Amino acid sequence: MQNGKNKTLSFGLMVGALGIVYGDIGTSPLYALKEAFFGIYHLERNPGNVLGLLSLFFWSLMIIVTIKYIGLIMRADNHGEGGIFALLALIRQGRAKKFVSAGIGVAILIGAALLYSDGVITPAISVLSAVEGLNVVTSSLTGFVVPITVVILIGLFSIQRRGSGKVGSLFGPIMIIWFLVLAVLGLPQIFLHPEVLGALSPLPAINFIFMYGWKTMFFLGAVVLCVTGAEALYADMGHFGRRSITAVWLTLVYPALVINYFGQGARLLSAGEIPNEHLFYSLAPSWALIPLVILSTMATIIASQALISGAFSLTSQATALGVLPRLKTIHTNAKVEGQIYMPFVNLTLLVGCIFLVINFKTSGALAAAYGVAVTGAMVVTTAAFYLLARHQWHWPIYIVGPIGLVLLIIDITFFAANLLKITKGGYIPLVIAVCLFFIMHAWQWGRKRVTHAYAELPGLTVNELIEAKQNNKEHLLHRSVVVMASRPIFDKSDRIPVALDSFCHKWGSAIPKHVILFNVSFVNKPRVSRTDRYKITILHEDPEIGTVSFVQVFYGYMQTPFIRDVLEELKEKKKIHIPADPSKWLVLVGAERFTSRPRRLLDRIRLAVFRSIMMVSKPVTSYLGLGSDPQVAIETVNI
């Protein structure tokens, strides 16, 4: 895949960006403005309130999406890839002070946890708000809204295993229709009440803020709903490129959203009653309600699909960066890298979505839980971008300072406004995020303890292994043994992996003739080309006692390792001694056992969580692409 920054502008990429990138933010008109006037806030329908809110919507989209994400954040691409973990990788490459880098690393983990919770809430509120259009058609269907939403969610998550490739070509055209419909619905209302165009000026927003003072914070919780999905622009940059995403936003998405929001504002200024307080659907004539409900449902499914696929990609990146454990990953498209399906993540998201729908029942109630996760992630992204621009790009402080400060004030203000909704349901994403953060923290804590324990274990060096082979020539196993090494081994004085040491002790003097020490290393970029995939070091070579080789294989954080392919390639190129028959291969993998119990209560809790995570994590053999190969002998050595 090409780097996102080098992608040329094309109609195909623009259509693809419409179908994936803008699904979430494009369906916000279903509930955003409605929440301010008919949700928990119940603003009075007068010109001052309507124009003030519309102006806040317009300028929030301008500042947060157009200026912040498209103009600034999307400059931070890691070999074309974006997303919060791409920022982490870039910061790790920079020269920021160690304690600053560590601090922002923790913040990014918090941001990632918040994004996961957003992935649970978005499908629930999006589909629920669309199905609620049935209430406008007839009140007799009110009792079926929640069951229908649950059925749609189950169907949506059930088809994830098929991959998005087969239906992806349909997403873009449907979203083109959706955004055109948004504009068509809004324009007639604007013609009837052209005074809403006054909201293009920031003055109504300023007047609104002065009118309500500190109480404005309550209404910002509704305003932020119009920018939910902005993180998707950055996360999906590698798929479509900055140019395509920017072009689609400026030419279609932003104008269509503004026209629809202003049309809804004009509808609020009219004296007509709004059926069931569903502002969006009140823009349509009665004959168009059912088609509009169907189109809205399709659009929200597409929006949800983007968040679900994003959760899979986020988990894959987190695994490669050592933040989360290995989980079962299914590649749904052999020709396109990155299209993956994770059953455990999929099931977890489905259960979370159904729980929210059943408990909150309406999109208005669920909107109170929405926004905390999004705004929290935005704060982290802004802080990380400041560090990147200042310490790696070396932007002068008089430029990056004011920019970072203004954006951070806006983000923190939105975040604080959403915290006011905690008692109304805003605690939901925070609870989810805290649990996910502790899981990621416990996993990193556990892996550090395991690495430290390995370092303290007694074991043979490569030199001692060679001497043992020399002393036991007649008992050598005439086969090649691949030993997974947790760290690089470049010198004969380095220790061999504990799994090989344990294997040699287990079988006495039966030492493998050909030993291949194999290390998988992830680098701070999305992908590594096949030409740069591996590095070979021959540590010892002797016709009588065989060879000891070290192979270091490199993968990007957007890639999934498949060791069988590397072994086959090395065999064909005759780089190291690997038998032609895979049945003569033996792969040794270490399996950790915990024999001590920490004294501190917190450490005991961490260990319990770490053990639980290991139970659901994918075995290293499967993660490395060896578990499904019946020809290769795999032995797990307890250490």
Side-chain angles (χ1 to χ4, degrees):
M1 183 180 290
Q2 290 177 296
N3 284 355
K5 63 180 179 181
N6 295 327
K7 286 183 182 294
T8 56
L9 186 64
S10 72
F11 181 75
L13 285 175
M14 291 173 66
V15 172
L18 268 175
I20 300 298
V21 177
Y22 291 110
D24 188 10
I25 198 170
T27 52
S28 295
L30 283 165
Y31 49 79
L33 195 59
K34 166 198 167 186
E35 178 63 17
F37 289 91
F38 302 107
I40 61 176
Y41 308 106
H42 286 290
L43 266 175
E44 183 183 347
R45 290 168 57 180
N46 60 52
N49 288 340
V50 172
L51 292 179
L53 260 294
L54 288 179
S55 184
L56 284 170
F57 272 52
F58 176 81
W59 287 102
S60 294
L61 289 167
M62 174 65 76
I63 295 172
I64 293 178
V65 181
T66 308
I67 296 176
K68 175 184 171 180
Y69 279 95
I70 289 181
L72 295 172
I73 300 296
M74 288 177 65
R75 294 175 180 268
D77 76 287
N78 189 13
H79 297 269
E81 293 292 339
I84 198 162
F85 282 123
L87 274 176
L88 177 60
L90 287 170
I91 289 171
R92 285 179 175 178
Q93 297 170 13
R95 297 180 178 179
K97 292 182 180 179
K98 187 174 181 181
F99 73 92
V100 173
S101 181
I104 200 64
V106 173
I108 284 177
L109 290 188
I110 296 173
L114 289 167
L115 286 177
Y116 274 115
S117 63
D118 185 31
V120 176
I121 298 174
T122 295
I125 190 174
S126 297
V127 177
L128 187 57
S129 62
V131 178
E132 282 176 343
L134 295 173
N135 293 334
V136 182
V137 177
T138 172
S139 58
S140 62
L141 294 176
T142 302
F144 294 95
V145 170
V146 170
I148 291 175
T149 301
V150 171
V151 169
I152 291 175
L153 287 172
I154 292 174
L156 173 64
F157 282 94
S158 297
I159 64 172
Q160 293 303 312
R161 64 179 66 251
R162 298 180 181 272
S164 60
K166 294 181 180 179
V167 295
S169 60
L170 296 174
F171 286 4
I174 292 174
M175 293 308 292
I176 289 177
I177 296 172
W178 171 252
F179 284 110
L180 291 176
V181 168
L182 289 182
V184 169
L185 290 175
L187 280 173
Q189 301 294 330
I190 294 175
F191 286 137
L192 291 173
H193 296 275
E195 61 267 28
V196 296
L197 295 177
L200 293 174
S201 165
L203 291 179
I206 295 172
N207 291 334
F208 183 89
I209 293 171
F210 275 107
M211 185 191 314
Y212 286 98
W214 66 269
K215 293 181 181 178
T216 306
M217 294 290 289
F218 290 99
F219 307 122
L220 291 180
V223 175
V224 76
L225 296 177
C226 76
V227 295
T228 56
E231 282 282 341
L233 278 69
Y234 182 42
D236 291 320
M237 184 173 62
H239 296 286
F240 305 103
R242 183 185 176 195
R243 294 178 182 177
S244 297
I245 292 173
T246 302
V248 170
W249 172 254
L250 295 177
T251 59
L252 178 60
V253 178
Y254 190 24
L257 289 174
V258 171
I259 291 172
N260 191 266
Y261 282 128
F262 277 48
Q264 292 185 40
R267 182 72 175 84
L268 287 168
L269 291 178
S270 68
E273 183 183 354
I274 296 176
N276 294 307
E277 298 183 341
H278 212 305
L279 182 57
F280 174 79
Y281 287 106
S282 70
L283 301 181
S286 57
W287 59 266
L289 283 177
I290 293 179
L292 185 57
V293 170
I294 294 173
L295 178 61
S296 300
T297 304
M298 294 173 68
T300 55
I301 289 174
I302 292 172
S304 302
Q305 173 67 47
L307 267 294
I308 297 167
S309 300
F312 296 155
S313 298
L314 191 66
T315 305
S316 178
Q317 295 179 39
T319 299
L321 291 172
V323 175
L324 284 175
R326 299 175 297 270
L327 296 174
K328 184 179 181 180
T329 303
I330 299 172
H331 290 264
T332 57
N333 192 327
K335 297 181 180 179
V336 180
E337 190 172 32
Q339 290 189 8
I340 58 176
Y341 165 67
M342 294 183 167
F344 181 78
V345 176
N346 192 64
L347 179 60
T348 303
L349 290 177
L350 172 59
V351 172
C353 286
I354 292 176
F355 172 80
L356 292 178
V357 169
I358 292 176
N359 279 272
F360 284 87
K361 294 183 174 58
T362 67
S363 62
L366 194 52
Y370 206 27
V372 176
V374 177
T375 52
M378 286 180 177
V379 172
V380 173
T381 300
T382 299
F385 175 80
Y386 169 81
L387 286 178
L388 185 66
R390 182 74 184 100
H391 295 285
Q392 188 162 336
W393 297 348
H394 306 295
W395 285 15
I397 188 66
Y398 61 83
I399 292 179
V400 71
I403 291 174
L405 181 62
V406 170
L407 292 178
L408 201 59
I409 289 173
I410 294 173
D411 290 339
I412 291 175
T413 301
F414 274 124
F415 181 62
N418 280 275
L419 289 179
L420 297 175
K421 300 190 294 184
I422 284 183
T423 58
K424 303 290 185 179
Y427 64 90
I428 294 292
L430 291 180
V431 170
I432 296 173
V434 167
C435 293
L436 288 171
F437 174 78
F438 190 77
I439 287 172
M440 290 187 283
H441 169 72
W443 177 254
Q444 288 188 305
W445 175 87
R447 293 314 307 172
K448 286 181 181 178
R449 295 303 182 276
V450 169
T451 302
H452 181 70
Y454 276 143
E456 293 185 342
L457 286 174
L460 299 174
T461 63
V462 175
N463 261 329
E464 291 169 336
L465 174 66
I466 296 170
E467 291 176 8
K469 290 173 68 176
Q470 187 72 41
N471 296 332
N472 296 277
K473 295 180 184 179
E474 63 278 7
H475 298 295
L476 293 178
L477 291 175
H478 290 273
R479 66 188 307 173
S480 294
V481 174
V482 178
V483 187
M484 304 311 300
S486 60
R487 62 184 184 279
I489 299 172
F490 298 116
D491 192 83
K492 291 183 180 180
S493 61
D494 290 333
R495 285 173 47 186
I496 64 175
V498 180
L500 179 58
D501 199 346
S502 300
F503 176 84
C504 293
H505 280 92
K506 177 180 178 181
W507 295 103
S509 58
I511 302 174
K513 185 174 183 179
H514 300 288
V515 177
I516 304 166
L517 306 173
F518 208 97
N519 171 256
V520 176
S521 296
F522 285 95
V523 298
N524 285 329
K525 62 181 182 179
R527 294 174 180 83
V528 175
S529 65
R530 295 187 69 87
T531 55
D532 300 324
R533 176 74 74 214
Y534 52 81
K535 178 180 179 182
I536 301 172
T537 304
I538 305 298
L539 296 170
H540 183 76
E541 189 171 19
D542 187 281
E544 288 188 287
I545 64 173
T547 59
V548 178
S549 310
F550 171 65
V551 178
Q552 188 173 22
V553 187
F554 300 96
Y555 288 94
Y557 60 77
M558 291 290 288
Q559 295 174 307
T560 301
F562 198 73
I563 302 308
R564 174 67 186 271
D565 281 353
V566 178
L567 292 174
E568 291 282 4
E569 187 174 344
L570 293 175
K571 179 190 70 177
E572 291 174 5
K573 294 184 177 181
K574 298 182 180 180
K575 295 283 187 179
I576 55 178
H577 193 283
I578 299 180
D581 184 2
S583 64
K584 294 184 179 180
W585 300 357
L586 175 63
V587 179
L588 293 184
V589 180
E592 297 96 352
R593 292 179 299 169
F594 301 92
T595 57
S596 62
R597 189 180 183 187
R599 294 182 179 179
R600 295 173 57 196
L601 177 60
L602 178 59
D603 288 345
R604 291 181 185 179
I605 296 173
R606 286 169 172 165
L607 181 58
V609 173
F610 183 67
R611 282 175 167 170
S612 300
I613 297 172
M614 292 191 69
M615 291 176 64
V616 300
S617 64
K618 189 178 183 181
V620 65
T621 51
S622 298
Y623 180 69
L624 297 176
L626 292 166
S628 59
D629 195 334
Q631 290 183 296
V632 179
I634 300 173
E635 181 166 336
T636 302
V637 182
N638 290 323
I639 52 180

